[in-house]
Amino acid sequence: MHLAVVACGDRLEETLIMLKSAVLFSNRRLCFHIFSEDSLKPEFNKKLQEWPSSYTKKFEYNIYPITFSVGNAQEWKKLFKPCAAQRLFLPVILKDVDSLLYVDTDVLFLRPIDDIWHILKEFNSTQLAAMAPEHEIPKIGWYSRFARHPYYGTTGVNSGVMLMNLTRIRSTQFRWNYRPDHCMYGSNCKGAEEEGVSILHGNRGVYHDDKQPTFKALYEVIRDFPFEDNLFQSLYYPLQSKFLDTVHTLCGRIPQVFLKQIEKTMKKVYESRVIVYLGANHRY
């Protein structure tokens, strides 16, 4: 499973926490494609090689320089936010990669990447990528209120999570991109209410300020989790405790939305390690 990310400026730690969340919850082997400024490359190598072998064996990684094959590189680099335009060139640079998941640095995985990877099987031959809408409610969406340029549909799409394949198209709803807009004015993502959050996107810098403490709590718990520790004791329980301090916010009043997929993933991990099936004619 191929995962691509672009890291510039002060996004080193944020990128590492995102990669950590991917490794913690995923089952199949991962291949990270990290695009970064030259100054960050030694730090990425150093930090990733410090991870315990029980986790480093679950992935391989490649680090690429920031390159723009068309036009003025400095103009591309300044587009929207630092190096964001690099994602436009992924199909050209990663010529041998058929499918990949691109994510922004401020993303956290709360369930296995394997699950979103399965959506690729639902693509047909006419679309390049799957993305979530920018907002669920058009009248409070950014594009519908402020955009002066054309955008897709009634709300636009968010490119912070893109499942990319050049041969297939998705045929189901894509809700793998949960952002503060989905709860800061009240819960408005029915998919997350029913199934829980699968991928958390802390855009607007909410991991690093106090505006959305629920998002910040998830970031800090995954950041501080020691790789070899028990997921229940050192990740899930501290998360529940932190959530108690967020109930004064609308996002903090729906902790089950944030915990549901983590609980399901941990249950699967527990069952795979502890429960042994002895056969149809035997008791447990």
Side-chain angles (χ1 to χ4, degrees), residues 1-283:
M1 300 184 296
H2 295 265
L3 179 66
V5 65
V6 181
C8 290
D10 61 354
R11 298 302 181 104
L12 174 68
E13 181 189 81
E14 205 169 69
T15 306
L16 289 168
I17 305 306
M18 180 277 291
L19 296 175
K20 183 179 182 180
S21 72
V23 173
L24 282 177
F25 293 121
S26 294
N27 300 313
R28 290 173 53 194
R29 186 172 173 81
L30 294 161
C31 180
F32 298 147
H33 300 277
I34 304 169
F35 292 80
S36 76
E37 295 172 313
D38 293 340
S39 59
L40 296 180
K41 183 176 180 179
E43 287 298 311
F44 272 115
N45 282 320
K46 178 177 180 291
K47 295 294 185 181
L48 290 172
Q49 290 168 12
E50 288 176 353
W51 290 5
S53 59
S54 58
Y55 286 92
T56 56
K57 69 181 182 182
K58 295 178 63 177
F59 69 90
E60 60 184 85
Y61 70 93
N62 299 294
I63 301 177
Y64 310 83
I66 301 296
T67 55
F68 305 104
S69 57
V70 178
N72 187 305
Q74 290 303 314
E75 290 300 316
W76 280 115
K77 192 171 182 179
K78 292 185 293 184
L79 183 65
F80 185 53
K81 58 183 178 181
C83 302
Q86 180 69 67
R87 76 189 78 177
L88 301 176
F89 298 90
L90 295 179
V92 177
I93 299 171
L94 303 177
K95 294 180 179 179
D96 297 326
V97 178
D98 176 67
S99 302
L100 83 158
L101 178 65
Y102 166 85
V103 297
D104 283 350
T105 61
D106 55 5
V107 153
L108 291 174
F109 293 94
L110 305 185
R111 67 190 281 188
I113 290 182
D114 309 61
D115 295 338
I116 191 173
W117 199 255
H118 289 158
I119 294 178
L120 287 166
K121 296 180 180 179
E122 301 177 25
F123 284 22
N124 66 28
S125 61
T126 62
Q127 191 174 7
L128 307 180
M131 291 171 278
E134 176 63 28
H135 212 286
E136 306 298 324
I137 304 175
K139 66 180 180 181
I140 58 175
W142 190 91
Y143 285 107
S144 55
R145 290 187 295 165
F146 304 115
R148 296 183 179 180
H149 55 73
Y151 54 89
Y152 181 81
T154 58
T155 62
V157 293
N158 186 284
S159 61
V161 177
M162 294 196 297
L163 186 62
M164 302 174 68
N165 188 295
L166 299 179
T167 57
R168 298 183 178 182
I169 186 174
R170 66 180 171 99
S171 58
T172 186
Q173 287 188 328
F174 196 76
R175 289 295 177 265
W176 299 69
N177 191 346
Y178 193 89
R179 303 178 299 284
D181 302 87
H182 288 121
C183 59
M184 61 191 293
Y185 304 116
S187 182
N188 59 55
C189 182
K190 292 184 179 179
E193 291 170 4
E194 295 170 359
E195 299 295 329
V197 176
S198 297
I199 296 181
L200 193 74
H201 189 175
N203 59 344
R204 301 177 181 169
V206 296
Y207 295 151
H208 311 294
D209 60 30
D210 297 318
K211 294 180 180 178
Q212 297 298 333
T214 310
F215 284 71
K216 186 176 182 179
L218 276 153
Y219 179 82
E220 291 180 344
V221 166
I222 292 178
R223 180 195 64 193
D224 298 338
F225 173 74
F227 274 108
E228 304 291 0
D229 276 20
N230 182 281
L231 282 170
F232 287 94
Q233 295 177 347
S234 300
L235 191 149
Y236 183 70
Y237 293 142
L239 192 54
Q240 284 187 314
S241 179
K242 279 180 174 287
F243 275 4
L244 293 175
D245 297 326
T246 71
V247 294
H248 63 286
T249 68
L250 290 176
C251 294
R253 294 175 189 173
I254 50 172
Q256 70 281 359
V257 169
F258 296 90
L259 293 172
K260 184 174 290 188
Q261 283 298 331
I262 294 178
E263 290 170 351
K264 288 174 66 174
T265 300
M266 290 186 176
K267 181 181 178 182
K268 290 179 182 178
V269 171
Y270 175 79
E271 290 176 346
S272 67
R273 293 180 180 178
V274 178
I275 300 176
V276 179
Y277 183 69
L278 299 178
N281 300 320
H282 296 78
R283 295 183 178 178

